[in-house]
Amino acid sequence: MTETDLINLRRLTGANFLMTDVGAAAEATIPDENKALVLSIWRNSARELLDGVGWTQSKIAMRAFDGGATLQVSAPTDALHAATALVDASWCVTHEKLGGRPVDVAAITNGLRQKIADEVSPKEVALADHASAHGLTYLGHDDKISLGLGKGSKVYDIADLPDPDAVDWDSLHDVPVGMVTGTNGKSTTVRLTAAIGAAAGKCVGMSTSDWVRVGGEILDEGDYSGPAGARLALRDPRVDLAIIETARGGLMRRGLPVPTADACLLTNVAADHLGTYGIMDVTALADAKFQLSDAIRPGGLLILNADDPELVKRAAQFSGDITWFGLEFDRAILDIWIMGGGRVAFVEDGQMVLARNGIVEPVLAVADFVPALGGAAKFNVYNALGAICLADALELPINAMAKGLAGFTDTPDENPGRGNYVKVGGLNLLIDFAHNPHGVHALSSAIKSIPAKRRLVIAGQAGDRSDKDTCDMIQAIWTFEPDMVVVAELPDLLRGRQLGEMTTVMVDELKRLGSGHDNIITTDTEYSAVVRAMEWARPGDFLALLVHDDRIETMQLLDKLSKAGWQAGDPLPA
């Protein structure tokens, strides 16, 4: 065992998987042999250091998983960098003890005390305490702190904090916040809800895996589905309603992006990103995502997909009110829920409807919701139903729901990389981010509903996915009944794999499923796959461009071809 066995050392700036307190955590690679004793030694080492620096009230949480374990400690909010150093030191002490070597714990604790002294900020802690006393959200742990949210917030540089008595507390307030997590559909659901908010006349701040946007202005582009994106949106003084995408990575790396929300929505849970942060299976992934329920304010709503078994299993853990959405309700039981005043969104006679307080109200016909493709794109019907529930929880009116959903066209500008259907040069194309079996399989009925002479699909996968997950994705692609599959290597997403390794896994699975050599094209990048797809295509073909990293370049190419009047079968312009 070596010191490099410790991975993912991190600050936890919000409530998280193992405890509601802020602190620090890390995973360690630990063989199953004698794991019980190693875990006990690690816990005792952490406790010794915590007591040594005076954090005698700090908690320790541990979680074992196949091949390793997580250790987490709680710590003062203004000493989280020191807390990460303590977790690191606790593993070093464990490593030395396991090797039979003496450990100078006093010297280690002296060094940690100095780190704590260099970091602590009594004024920051006092501001956080006063914000809590005034019922305001406090956001910190970067170069700024903020008191209140959106229009009701005040932001200060960490180097120039005021005394609490100098703050005009009565001028500050929070704005409504909704958070969205799940495996698939997060970004689309956030954008649909934001469209409803805009239709209601709200200035909506939203953070997603593509950008942070306030009203119609994109503040910054990139993956902002973690705390940084939430802070950027929630600190903008124009915002009077916020919708925050909360991805697994941000939850595990930093914890909840905001301490409380008015409503939290979970879209679904399926195998994706397994094997990181000790999340080895779907059960653990569901547990990690369900922690959003802890953030709901008294009187707030938890919104769950009733057709997702993992979410249904966990619903009993939540003591507050739940709004359900789904497509597969037993009508007799649904009627009982509605008559009892329960909230639920579903489809009835071709209409998306919302039931609350015993009354069922129509929102919009499925046929009038463009991304649903007349109902063939069931995944977008789910996304719309979830958005209706979230909008209801945020007290947005039915007419705004109808207007926002009807006006949402799912274009690349409005919802980039999520079910974008475009026509170029006599071709029908789908640009989508789908990258796991659940997400890819959800596209199948929509793709097969579109008439096509031939079908082509681009398949690529990041190296941190298992061979099984990759083969499951290829099996989902096979349900498209493709005439050609372009297998794209993702050189920037190898994540420990050798170049060409993922391509081999995908090609072998395609051949096992019955694909011939002439029905597979391999490329060295995703963009090259798009180029080869356009070269292969002829008028009337359908191309499913499932692109991860090169979406922007792909859209630029399609725009160039469209403007040049290119037709399928013509040589591509230089």
Side-chain angles (χ1 to χ4, degrees):
M1 200 175 291
T2 67
E3 292 180 22
T4 57
D5 290 333
L6 193 71
I7 57 174
N8 299 327
L9 182 64
R10 59 198 183 274
R11 293 180 299 142
L12 289 162
T13 56
N16 46 79
F17 190 27
L18 296 183
M19 63 173 70
T20 59
D21 303 85
V22 299
E27 278 73 48
T29 302
I30 304 173
D32 289 337
E33 184 180 2
N34 295 321
K35 178 185 279 190
L37 297 180
V38 174
L39 295 183
S40 294
I41 294 169
W42 193 11
R43 176 186 286 273
N44 291 343
S45 298
R47 183 78 267 163
E48 186 176 16
L49 294 179
L50 288 168
D51 292 347
V53 300
W55 291 351
T56 57
Q57 300 303 309
S58 288
K59 305 171 188 174
I60 299 175
M62 299 191 79
R63 176 179 174 272
F65 53 85
D66 289 345
T70 301
L71 180 139
Q72 180 174 328
V73 301
S74 63
T77 189
D78 59 339
L80 299 190
H81 289 285
T84 61
L86 187 146
V87 171
D88 189 20
S90 74
W91 182 249
C92 291
V93 169
T94 301
H95 177 263
E96 294 302 298
K97 289 179 177 178
L98 292 171
R101 294 177 289 273
V103 182
D104 190 347
V105 174
I108 295 171
T109 53
N110 285 338
L112 291 171
R113 285 196 201 98
Q114 184 59 55
K115 289 180 182 293
I116 294 169
D118 292 342
E119 187 179 358
V120 293
S121 174
K123 190 177 288 187
E124 182 179 354
V125 173
L127 287 168
D129 289 342
H130 276 69
S132 178
H134 284 84
L136 297 170
T137 297
Y138 170 87
L139 299 177
H141 305 295
D142 57 1
D143 58 349
K144 301 178 186 298
I145 68 106
S146 54
L147 311 171
L149 300 174
K151 285 184 174 180
S153 67
K154 181 70 174 177
V155 184
Y156 300 94
D157 288 332
I158 197 71
D160 189 27
L161 297 179
D163 291 323
D165 292 341
V167 175
D168 182 6
W169 295 100
D170 291 338
S171 69
L172 305 179
H173 60 84
D174 286 350
V175 299
V177 176
M179 288 197 290
V180 179
T181 194
T183 299
N184 295 306
K186 298 184 296 296
S187 294
T188 299
T189 302
V190 166
R191 290 169 184 149
L192 289 171
T193 311
I196 294 170
K202 304 291 185 181
C203 181
V204 181
M206 67 170 173
S207 59
T208 73
S209 55
D210 290 296
W211 58 44
V212 175
R213 195 176 80 189
V214 171
E217 180 187 354
I218 295 176
L219 302 188
D220 202 1
E221 295 190 56
D223 187 349
Y224 277 110
S225 57
R231 288 194 296 264
L232 187 55
L234 288 166
R235 287 172 174 169
D236 193 290
R238 296 169 289 178
V239 169
D240 48 26
L241 173 68
I243 315 295
I244 305 301
E245 179 177 346
T246 310
R248 170 212 56 89
L251 284 172
M252 299 306 299
R253 191 166 52 250
R254 290 287 182 260
L256 289 172
V258 290
T260 59
D262 297 272
C264 292
L265 183 152
L266 281 73
T267 60
N268 47 63
V269 181
D272 195 24
H273 296 288
L274 300 181
T276 58
Y277 298 105
I279 304 300
M280 313 304 287
D281 54 37
V282 172
T283 298
L285 182 62
D287 289 339
K289 290 181 180 294
F290 205 78
Q291 68 179 280
L292 254 69
S293 63
D294 295 333
I296 298 172
R297 294 172 178 164
L301 291 172
L302 175 63
I303 301 160
L304 298 177
N305 182 343
D307 299 334
D308 187 288
E310 293 294 340
L311 298 180
V312 171
K313 288 178 187 176
R314 286 158 183 77
Q317 301 175 17
F318 185 67
S319 60
D321 292 329
I322 297 176
T323 299
W324 295 99
F325 66 96
L327 296 175
E328 301 174 7
F329 291 107
D330 177 282
R331 186 66 210 212
I333 298 176
L334 178 62
D335 287 342
I336 294 170
W337 174 252
I338 293 170
M339 287 188 292
R343 278 176 152 84
V344 59
F346 58 102
V347 173
E348 181 176 55
D349 298 328
Q351 292 272 342
M352 292 184 286
V353 301
L354 173 66
R356 53 190 176 177
N357 303 319
I359 300 172
V360 179
E361 299 177 85
V363 178
L364 185 71
V366 172
D368 293 331
F369 179 52
V370 174
L373 296 180
K378 287 177 63 176
F379 60 94
N380 270 333
V381 179
Y382 276 105
N383 293 335
L385 292 173
I388 288 169
C389 294
L390 185 54
D392 172 55
L394 296 172
E395 301 184 348
L396 301 176
I398 290 279
N399 64 342
M401 298 178 198
K403 182 179 179 181
L405 294 177
F408 195 89
T409 57
D410 221 7
T411 62
D413 288 336
E414 192 167 25
N415 197 24
R418 273 76 178 180
N420 305 145
Y421 291 89
V422 298
K423 295 180 181 290
V424 176
L427 303 173
N428 286 313
L429 302 101
L430 166 69
I431 297 91
D432 197 274
F433 186 69
H435 60 281
N436 56 58
H438 182 273
V440 173
H441 188 74
L443 294 173
S444 184
S445 59
I447 287 175
K448 290 166 70 175
S449 73
I450 298 174
K453 290 183 178 180
R454 302 180 300 171
R455 291 188 177 90
L456 174 147
V457 186
I458 290 178
Q461 189 58 284
D464 57 352
R465 300 323 198 271
S466 69
D467 286 2
K468 181 185 183 302
D469 287 344
T470 303
C471 290
D472 287 347
M473 182 196 72
I474 293 297
Q475 291 166 26
I477 284 174
W478 196 246
T479 66
F480 298 178
E481 300 176 5
D483 298 279
M484 179 65 71
V485 179
V486 186
V487 176
E489 187 74 13
L490 307 181
D492 294 332
L493 297 175
L494 293 177
R495 296 173 182 172
R497 296 268 192 167
Q498 295 298 311
L499 192 66
E501 186 177 345
M502 295 303 288
T503 293
T504 299
V505 172
M506 289 184 281
V507 169
D508 287 348
E509 182 62 12
L510 284 169
K511 290 181 177 178
R512 189 191 70 80
L513 292 169
S515 180
H517 178 77
D518 292 339
N519 304 109
I520 302 171
I521 297 171
T522 60
T523 65
D524 57 353
T525 68
E526 205 167 54
Y527 182 73
S528 297
V530 174
V531 171
R532 293 294 300 276
M534 302 304 288
E535 292 173 339
W536 174 88
R538 295 295 181 267
D541 289 344
F542 179 90
L543 312 183
L545 309 182
L546 307 185
V547 291
H548 303 221
D549 265 8
D550 295 343
R551 175 179 50 80
I552 293 175
E553 294 84 353
T554 296
M555 298 309 302
Q556 290 172 342
L557 172 63
L558 297 180
D559 183 59
K560 179 179 179 180
L561 294 177
S562 182
K563 289 178 178 177
W566 174 86
Q567 291 294 305
D570 294 345
L572 295 180

